[in-house]
PDB file of all heavy atoms in Angstrom:
ATOM      1  N   HIS X1522      -3.832  -3.569  -3.069  1.00 92.00           N
ATOM      2  CA  HIS X1522      -3.790  -3.204  -1.628  1.00 92.00           C
ATOM      3  C   HIS X1522      -4.625  -4.176  -0.740  1.00 92.00           C
ATOM      4  O   HIS X1522      -5.342  -4.993  -1.309  1.00 92.00           O
ATOM      5  CB  HIS X1522      -4.053  -1.637  -1.406  1.00 92.00           C
ATOM      6  CG  HIS X1522      -5.550  -1.345  -1.686  1.00 92.00           C
ATOM      7  ND1 HIS X1522      -6.449  -1.384  -0.752  1.00 92.00           N
ATOM      8  CD2 HIS X1522      -6.080  -0.960  -2.801  1.00 92.00           C
ATOM      9  CE1 HIS X1522      -7.565  -1.098  -1.271  1.00 92.00           C
ATOM     10  NE2 HIS X1522      -7.436  -0.814  -2.536  1.00 92.00           N
ATOM     11  N   HIS X1523      -4.475  -3.911   0.482  1.00 88.00           N
ATOM     12  CA  HIS X1523      -5.136  -4.812   1.535  1.00 88.00           C
ATOM     13  C   HIS X1523      -6.606  -4.609   1.759  1.00 88.00           C
ATOM     14  O   HIS X1523      -7.217  -5.287   2.458  1.00 88.00           O
ATOM     15  CB  HIS X1523      -4.402  -4.625   2.831  1.00 88.00           C
ATOM     16  CG  HIS X1523      -4.430  -3.306   3.517  1.00 88.00           C
ATOM     17  ND1 HIS X1523      -3.943  -2.213   2.760  1.00 88.00           N
ATOM     18  CD2 HIS X1523      -4.928  -2.832   4.639  1.00 88.00           C
ATOM     19  CE1 HIS X1523      -4.175  -1.157   3.557  1.00 88.00           C
ATOM     20  NE2 HIS X1523      -4.709  -1.539   4.682  1.00 88.00           N
ATOM     21  N   GLY X1524      -7.156  -3.403   1.151  1.00 83.00           N
ATOM     22  CA  GLY X1524      -8.500  -3.162   1.403  1.00 83.00           C
ATOM     23  C   GLY X1524      -8.912  -2.333   2.540  1.00 83.00           C
ATOM     24  O   GLY X1524     -10.100  -2.228   2.945  1.00 83.00           O
ATOM     25  N   GLY X1525      -7.896  -1.718   3.170  1.00 81.00           N
ATOM     26  CA  GLY X1525      -8.154  -0.818   4.330  1.00 81.00           C
ATOM     27  C   GLY X1525      -8.989   0.389   3.888  1.00 81.00           C
ATOM     28  O   GLY X1525      -8.814   0.803   2.716  1.00 81.00           O
ATOM     29  N   ALA X1526      -9.756   0.958   4.883  1.00 75.00           N
ATOM     30  CA  ALA X1526     -10.641   2.102   4.464  1.00 75.00           C
ATOM     31  C   ALA X1526      -9.899   3.292   3.897  1.00 75.00           C
ATOM     32  O   ALA X1526     -10.311   3.877   2.959  1.00 75.00           O
ATOM     33  CB  ALA X1526     -11.554   2.476   5.662  1.00 75.00           C
ATOM     34  N   GLY X1527      -8.737   3.615   4.520  1.00 78.00           N
ATOM     35  CA  GLY X1527      -7.944   4.760   4.109  1.00 78.00           C
ATOM     36  C   GLY X1527      -7.435   4.582   2.776  1.00 78.00           C
ATOM     37  O   GLY X1527      -7.384   5.434   1.858  1.00 78.00           O
ATOM     38  N   THR X1528      -6.778   3.451   2.593  1.00 85.00           N
ATOM     39  CA  THR X1528      -6.149   3.047   1.201  1.00 85.00           C
ATOM     40  C   THR X1528      -7.194   3.052   0.167  1.00 85.00           C
ATOM     41  O   THR X1528      -7.070   3.525  -0.949  1.00 85.00           O
ATOM     42  CB  THR X1528      -5.319   1.822   1.286  1.00 85.00           C
ATOM     43  OG1 THR X1528      -4.463   1.883   2.524  1.00 85.00           O
ATOM     44  CG2 THR X1528      -4.587   1.579   0.058  1.00 85.00           C
ATOM     45  N   MET X1529      -8.330   2.407   0.498  1.00 83.00           N
ATOM     46  CA  MET X1529      -9.447   2.305  -0.515  1.00 83.00           C
ATOM     47  C   MET X1529      -9.901   3.744  -0.835  1.00 83.00           C
ATOM     48  O   MET X1529     -10.144   3.974  -2.076  1.00 83.00           O
ATOM     49  CB  MET X1529     -10.525   1.480   0.086  1.00 83.00           C
ATOM     50  CG  MET X1529     -11.794   1.425  -0.908  1.00 83.00           C
ATOM     51  SD  MET X1529     -11.434   0.477  -2.378  1.00 83.00           S
ATOM     52  CE  MET X1529     -11.486  -1.166  -1.737  1.00 83.00           C
ATOM     53  N   SER X1530     -10.080   4.560   0.176  1.00 81.00           N
ATOM     54  CA  SER X1530     -10.516   5.998  -0.257  1.00 81.00           C
ATOM     55  C   SER X1530      -9.556   6.667  -1.058  1.00 81.00           C
ATOM     56  O   SER X1530      -9.907   7.287  -2.057  1.00 81.00           O
ATOM     57  CB  SER X1530     -10.666   6.753   1.064  1.00 81.00           C
ATOM     58  OG  SER X1530     -11.791   6.178   1.841  1.00 81.00           O
ATOM     59  N   ALA X1531      -8.180   6.559  -0.778  1.00 85.00           N
ATOM     60  CA  ALA X1531      -7.145   7.196  -1.483  1.00 85.00           C
ATOM     61  C   ALA X1531      -7.171   6.614  -3.033  1.00 85.00           C
ATOM     62  O   ALA X1531      -7.031   7.433  -3.969  1.00 85.00           O
ATOM     63  CB  ALA X1531      -5.875   7.047  -0.896  1.00 85.00           C
ATOM     64  N   ALA X1532      -7.335   5.315  -3.122  1.00 89.00           N
ATOM     65  CA  ALA X1532      -7.333   4.718  -4.433  1.00 89.00           C
ATOM     66  C   ALA X1532      -8.529   5.213  -5.237  1.00 89.00           C
ATOM     67  O   ALA X1532      -8.405   5.566  -6.412  1.00 89.00           O
ATOM     68  CB  ALA X1532      -7.454   3.162  -4.390  1.00 89.00           C
ATOM     69  N   LEU X1533      -9.667   5.254  -4.671  1.00 86.00           N
ATOM     70  CA  LEU X1533     -10.974   5.734  -5.367  1.00 86.00           C
ATOM     71  C   LEU X1533     -10.791   7.271  -5.721  1.00 86.00           C
ATOM     72  O   LEU X1533     -11.171   7.659  -6.782  1.00 86.00           O
ATOM     73  CB  LEU X1533     -12.166   5.448  -4.588  1.00 86.00           C
ATOM     74  CG  LEU X1533     -12.491   4.034  -4.335  1.00 86.00           C
ATOM     75  CD1 LEU X1533     -13.584   3.803  -3.246  1.00 86.00           C
ATOM     76  CD2 LEU X1533     -12.917   3.370  -5.643  1.00 86.00           C
ATOM     77  N   LEU X1534     -10.211   8.039  -4.868  1.00 84.00           N
ATOM     78  CA  LEU X1534     -10.125   9.439  -5.096  1.00 84.00           C
ATOM     79  C   LEU X1534      -9.052   9.668  -6.254  1.00 84.00           C
ATOM     80  O   LEU X1534      -9.150  10.729  -7.032  1.00 84.00           O
ATOM     81  CB  LEU X1534      -9.592  10.213  -3.860  1.00 84.00           C
ATOM     82  CG  LEU X1534     -10.631  10.394  -2.808  1.00 84.00           C
ATOM     83  CD1 LEU X1534     -10.066  10.882  -1.448  1.00 84.00           C
ATOM     84  CD2 LEU X1534     -11.747  11.431  -3.281  1.00 84.00           C
TER      85      LEU X1534
END
Side-chain angles (χ1 to χ4, degrees):
H1522 65 92
H1523 65 300
T1528 308
M1529 178 65 77
S1530 293
L1533 291 169
L1534 286 169

